[in-house]
Amino acid sequence: MAFHMVKFIEKKRDGGEHSPEEIALFIKKFTAGEIPDYQTAAWAMAVFFQGMTTEEIRHLTLEMARSGEMLDLHDVAPFIVDKHSSGGVGDKVTLALGPVVASLGLPFGKLSGRALAHTGGTLDKLESIPGLNVNLTVEQIKAQLREIGIVIAGQTKNLAPADGRLYALRDATGTVPSIPLIASSIMSKKIAGGADAIVLDVKVGTGAFMKNVQDAVKLARLMIDTGADLGKRMAAFITNMNQPLGNAVGNALEVREAIDTLRGRGPADFRNLVVALAAEMVLLADKAESRAEARSMAAAQLDNGEALEKFREVIVAQGGNPAAVDNPANLPAASFQEPLLSPKSGYLARVDALTIGSSELILGGAREKKGEPIDHAVGVVLHKKVGDRVEEGEPLMTIHANDRQRLKEAKEFLAGAYSFSDEPVAPPPLIYELVLSERKS
Ligand code: URA
């Protein structure tokens, strides 16, 4: 079949539907560098306005997944679980979730990303543990999965390369917030990653891509249906990202909070989300009869020390210093720790995730552009969340900084994260919805 990029663009511009063959040829030529960026950008904009059918999304996902290496981990584990978060502030879920499910005997294989703009990245969090290496080869990923049943590594270079190129173009052409393109981008990497069951955490709120629950449900449904059509067992949570998850925001601070949670402590919202996601993985793997049973299995792993032990094994296997688990003094710590005091008494109505996530850019704990170095020690620890009562002069948060000027700037900026109410404010829900696939896989 001959492929004409101009015709391909025009078809989408006019609201037409691409055939599977056209999509396959487009991705093949795009990956080979045979299509000028301006044409691909024009097509992405046409998709932004015209959308795509579920059929088109499924084919685009599969072709982008096939544009590079497709990991097959079944020679080391018969059934592998994975998760994906659409990105948020204080989202250290993978650090606790992986050890919980792996300690229940479910192989957990996760290829993670890095922090970008105001959202954190699991790889950066893990790298705050001295010596820990996230750059593993496929052979190392397999060996670790076989030996300890869990691996959390960086995406291999050749994982869904078409998505990497398309995402960079979308980023430069205002076409990132297209639900079909987000769904196929995320799912292509998940499909190439080789897991059998995938639980998604689609975040909604100021600190997330999705700004309302309706759009998030639409995205979640598209992703789980695409995954199910491609043979994966899928579930998706829609969760609140108007305020940070847990209390810690910042790489080493989040590792500390994850370890605390793996000791059966930690903030209730964070623990609850870890338990909910883990329970869904247990159900997808047919390891429990009911959601209630799956939840109590997951919670027990946080309380009995087995998940913490699994986290220690991950650290050792990936070359890190396990002393970080026993004593947080072995994690990087910032030189200055300063409270941000409440300017008034009242109830907290807003603790804005976007502002708090963006303060990491001021403190040096996050990056504006790919590849920039970051300071793992800096960040904030919240003492109050939405709905809490505060008195004037009480600490709202503690800021951890390594530079006085950055500390001063961050403190002024962070004051803008808070709104107060004289009337009591109900704590917001953490989980809006659980979306399950109606497709059989
Ligand atoms: N995350 C991705 O991997 N891709 C998108 O398009 C958006 C978020």
Side-chain angles (χ1 to χ4, degrees):
M1 178 186 163
F3 178 79
H4 298 288
M5 188 62 192
V6 176
K7 289 206 167 67
F8 187 71
I9 297 167
E10 287 171 351
K11 190 177 207 179
K12 190 44 72 186
R13 182 198 64 193
D14 298 339
E17 181 173 351
H18 295 311
S19 69
E21 295 76 23
E22 275 173 341
I23 292 173
L25 282 169
F26 163 59
I27 290 299
K28 191 160 167 250
K29 286 181 173 289
F30 174 67
T31 310
E34 290 170 14
I35 297 179
D37 283 354
Y38 53 80
Q39 287 189 315
T40 305
W43 172 80
M45 190 59 85
V47 172
F48 180 89
F49 284 111
Q50 296 289 2
M52 285 182 128
T53 64
T54 46
E55 268 292 288
E56 287 178 301
I57 294 166
R58 174 153 59 92
H59 287 289
L60 182 61
T61 302
L62 191 56
E63 294 306 331
M64 290 205 295
R66 284 181 177 154
S67 67
E69 178 174 37
M70 300 275 277
L71 282 191
D72 183 356
L73 306 170
H74 289 122
D75 51 337
V76 295
F79 191 89
I80 297 138
V81 294
D82 188 3
K83 70 82 87 149
H84 179 84
S85 155
S86 62
V89 179
D91 182 357
K92 71 283 295 172
V93 166
T94 297
L95 303 182
L97 173 67
V100 166
V101 295
S103 68
L104 284 168
L106 281 182
F108 183 85
K110 167 113 179 80
L111 302 180
S112 288
R114 292 199 176 273
L116 197 58
H118 68 277
T119 62
T122 300
L123 299 184
D124 294 305
K125 293 172 209 214
L126 276 173
E127 279 178 347
S128 56
I129 297 170
L132 194 140
N133 174 27
V134 294
N135 300 312
L136 306 184
T137 62
V138 173
E139 285 65 39
Q140 287 170 320
I141 288 172
K142 284 189 170 187
Q144 190 171 320
L145 204 51
R146 184 189 297 116
E147 278 154 30
I148 63 167
I150 173 169
V151 61
I152 309 172
Q155 280 171 19
T156 51
K157 265 215 174 66
N158 199 21
L159 189 97
D163 172 64
R165 290 193 49 167
L166 184 58
Y167 190 86
L169 265 180
R170 288 167 55 208
D171 204 25
T173 56
T175 48
V176 168
S178 150
I179 289 179
L181 293 181
I182 296 175
S184 47
S185 165
I186 291 175
M187 288 309 296
S188 66
K189 287 172 287 206
K190 293 284 116 185
I191 300 292
D196 301 283
I198 303 158
V199 176
L200 303 170
D201 180 3
V202 180
K203 305 230 166 263
V204 184
T206 65
F209 261 114
M210 294 290 124
K211 302 299 179 197
N212 65 68
V213 173
Q214 209 183 359
D215 281 350
V217 170
K218 204 164 139 190
L219 174 65
R221 182 143 298 290
L222 267 179
M223 291 196 287
I224 62 174
D225 285 348
T226 302
D229 285 344
L230 294 171
K232 308 293 180 186
R233 294 191 183 183
M234 304 288 307
F237 285 89
I238 312 295
T239 66
N240 190 333
M241 191 32 73
N242 284 310
Q243 66 177 343
L245 179 64
N247 298 331
V249 179
N251 296 291
L253 295 169
E254 291 188 43
V255 169
R256 215 180 257 225
E257 186 165 277
I259 290 171
D260 213 29
T261 305
L262 287 165
R263 286 190 191 287
R265 306 191 293 243
D269 62 341
F270 175 52
R271 178 185 161 103
N272 289 342
L273 188 56
V274 169
V275 168
L277 286 160
E280 234 34 57
M281 289 183 163
V282 168
L283 283 174
L284 291 179
D286 294 330
K287 297 282 186 205
E289 300 287 328
S290 68
R291 192 157 282 119
E293 186 198 349
R295 289 180 63 90
S296 65
M297 285 165 71
Q301 298 310 98
L302 292 172
D303 298 328
N304 65 18
E306 289 183 18
L308 182 70
E309 224 19 71
K310 194 49 85 176
F311 189 53
R312 191 193 304 269
E313 288 177 34
V314 176
I315 296 175
V316 172
Q318 294 186 210
N321 180 1
V325 168
D326 306 308
N327 184 356
N330 292 303
L331 288 166
S335 342
F336 308 110
Q337 298 181 10
E338 197 164 303
L340 174 68
L341 305 180
S342 182
K344 59 198 285 189
S345 298
Y347 297 90
L348 281 185
R350 189 180 65 103
V351 180
D352 185 51
L354 177 60
T355 308
I356 293 170
S358 303
S359 76
E360 280 287 283
L361 291 162
I362 302 174
L363 290 167
R367 54 174 75 81
E368 212 105 40
K369 291 206 192 85
K370 267 188 183 175
E372 284 175 351
I374 56 169
D375 183 342
H376 291 96
V378 300
V380 305
V381 177
L382 308 179
H383 305 306
K384 302 279 177 185
K385 306 263 306 241
V386 173
D388 287 346
R389 168 88 201 164
V390 291
E391 303 305 327
E392 186 181 336
E394 222 185 328
L396 292 168
M397 62 162 62
T398 300
I399 307 170
H400 295 241
N402 269 326
D403 177 296
R404 279 200 189 283
Q405 185 54 33
R406 285 176 183 257
L407 172 60
K408 183 168 174 287
E409 268 176 53
K411 198 171 172 182
E412 283 166 18
F413 183 77
L414 282 162
Y418 293 91
S419 301
F420 300 83
S421 163
D422 293 334
E423 303 303 320
V425 173
L430 170 67
I431 297 174
Y432 293 116
E433 230 171 283
L434 167 60
V435 187
L436 298 172
S437 180
E438 282 148 18
R439 310 264 218 280
K440 284 273 155 260
S441 58

